[in-house]
Amino acid sequence: MDEILRIEGLRVSYRERDRTVRAVDGVNLVLRKGTTMAIVGESGCGKTTIALSVLNLLPAAGRIDAGRVLYGGRDVLDLQGDDLRRVRGREISMIFQDPVSGLNPVMAIGAQVAEIVQAHFDISRKESQRIMLDALARQGLPNPERVAASYPYQLSGGMCQRVMIAIATVLRPSVIIADEPTSALDVTVQAAILHELDELKEELGASIILITHDLGVVAKMADDMAVMYAGRVVEQSATAEIYARPRHPYTAALLDARPRLDDPGRRLRNIPGTPPDLAELGTDCAFLPRCSKAITACRVSAWPPLTELAPGHEAACFNPVYQPD
């Protein structure tokens, strides 16, 4: 399938007092049209930084040191002013992790949704109100008129998340970035939100970048999957392929740590050790201190590059769990 978004050699750092944190280090990703790509990994591995970089929304301490984000033949990172605003929301939109803090607390919900429409289209206030109410109704929000007149504190977390999805999709974008869209919600609301995202993909023909640490969500939603560790992609392939044959020891450990419905009495298996300090990374594999499959090459060589170990399946490992065929 054709690609719609390509990230090439992305490097991002944050300045923290007297030190520099390498949050993303040479990431390459391809999002295919009409598909969902999941980016997974432990907290602090760089997932959200990639999402923010795509739309040039890094905080003041963040800096894109290298790389390109190609969309429609253009590098989004080179866009400024009106050109960048036209891409944000209209072509590429983002559903932020915390729906409550992502909304303006002193602005009515309807005004926040309508503002997005008016910023991109030269239409009347009446028409923007109609589009706004339609967007809220499409998210299954009961009584859209009442929701539109409400403020974020008057809505539940699940309703706020639906409002965020309405804001992200009201302009019918081609790419939707969903950053932990269900992390603060209970299980039943999670299922409803995921179902709505899946329907949006079918309805809009959109492509989705799904950022999550929930491997159950990945199995249900994602066509492709990229596993990150310490700012780098350590494995990527089709989701079904990675679940069946994980190559990188970190990926295998993540999958092994999941609760299993087919074995409810099994003790959860943790990954020993802790993630590294991204300001103190050396040149060797950052997973080395936690890896059960490390060999001599791991200790004397630089971090291994992503290598195709099977058709369409790449991993950065000298001693993969499943050896190349």
Side-chain angles (χ1 to χ4, degrees):
M1 299 177 69
D2 294 336
E3 66 182 57
I4 190 168
L5 184 77
R6 174 181 288 270
I7 299 172
E8 292 183 348
L10 184 64
R11 299 181 187 275
V12 183
S13 60
Y14 291 97
R15 186 67 183 172
E16 291 186 354
R17 296 179 184 174
D18 59 345
R19 66 183 204 152
T20 299
V21 175
R22 286 186 288 166
V24 175
D25 191 7
V27 164
N28 299 290
L29 294 171
V30 174
L31 176 64
R32 299 179 294 128
K33 286 183 179 179
T35 67
T36 297
M37 177 178 66
I39 304 177
V40 306
E42 292 169 284
S43 296
C45 70
K47 305 186 300 294
T48 296
T49 295
I50 290 176
L52 295 174
S53 298
V54 168
L55 288 173
N56 239 329
L57 288 174
L58 288 172
R63 183 181 67 186
I64 296 175
D65 299 312
R68 301 193 299 169
V69 176
L70 301 175
Y71 172 79
R74 297 179 297 172
D75 185 356
V76 178
L77 302 183
D78 286 340
L79 301 181
Q80 296 180 349
D82 290 341
D83 290 335
L84 181 58
R85 280 190 289 273
R86 275 191 288 270
V87 170
R88 286 178 179 164
R90 191 166 181 176
E91 300 291 339
I92 305 173
S93 66
M94 185 166 176
I95 303 167
F96 293 93
Q97 183 171 356
D98 185 349
V100 177
S101 64
L103 295 169
N104 189 329
V106 297
M107 192 174 181
I109 294 298
Q112 296 189 53
V113 181
E115 182 181 52
I116 302 297
V117 180
Q118 292 171 326
H120 287 271
F121 299 116
D122 184 16
I123 58 176
S124 66
R125 182 178 181 278
K126 181 178 179 180
E127 180 65 10
S128 69
Q129 292 292 306
R130 184 195 66 77
I131 294 173
M132 174 270 292
L133 290 173
D134 182 60
L136 294 175
R138 283 203 309 269
Q139 298 313 310
L141 287 161
N143 196 342
E145 291 82 4
R146 183 185 66 82
V147 172
S150 301
Y151 290 84
Y153 74 90
Q154 296 175 306
L155 304 180
S156 67
M159 293 178 75
C160 284
Q161 188 62 284
R162 285 184 169 88
V163 170
M164 290 293 290
I165 294 174
I167 290 173
T169 59
V170 66
L171 301 179
R172 306 180 76 83
S174 299
V175 176
I176 300 170
I177 303 171
D179 185 7
E180 300 278 8
T182 61
S183 61
L185 307 176
D186 63 56
V187 174
T188 54
V189 177
Q190 282 185 21
I193 295 296
L194 292 174
H195 178 69
E196 286 161 16
L197 283 175
D198 218 23
E199 286 197 331
L200 279 170
K201 186 172 73 170
E202 298 299 321
E203 177 190 345
L204 303 179
S207 307
I208 297 176
I209 296 177
L210 177 64
I211 296 170
T212 184
H213 62 271
D214 190 329
L215 294 175
V217 170
V218 174
K220 174 180 174 60
M221 296 283 295
D223 303 287
D224 301 310
M225 177 177 174
V227 182
M228 289 193 67
Y229 189 79
R232 293 194 180 191
V233 174
V234 296
E235 186 164 3
Q236 57 184 1
S237 186
T239 301
E241 166 66 15
I242 288 181
Y243 273 64
R245 287 172 290 276
R247 305 286 178 149
H248 198 281
Y250 176 62
T251 308
L254 281 180
L255 294 174
D256 205 34
R258 294 173 298 160
R260 298 182 62 102
L261 292 177
D262 59 350
D263 190 6
R266 185 178 74 100
R267 290 176 61 87
L268 294 182
R269 297 170 184 169
N270 68 318
I271 304 175
T274 57
D277 184 340
L278 296 184
E280 303 293 338
L281 290 176
T283 58
D284 56 353
C285 177
F287 190 60
L288 177 61
R290 308 173 71 185
C291 185
S292 61
K293 288 183 64 61
I295 57 177
T296 301
C298 305
R299 296 180 172 87
V300 300
S301 304
W303 195 323
L306 274 173
T307 303
E308 189 173 62
L309 302 180
H313 193 154
E314 295 180 314
C317 186
F318 290 121
N319 188 28
V321 178
Y322 282 86
Q323 297 294 331
D325 297 331

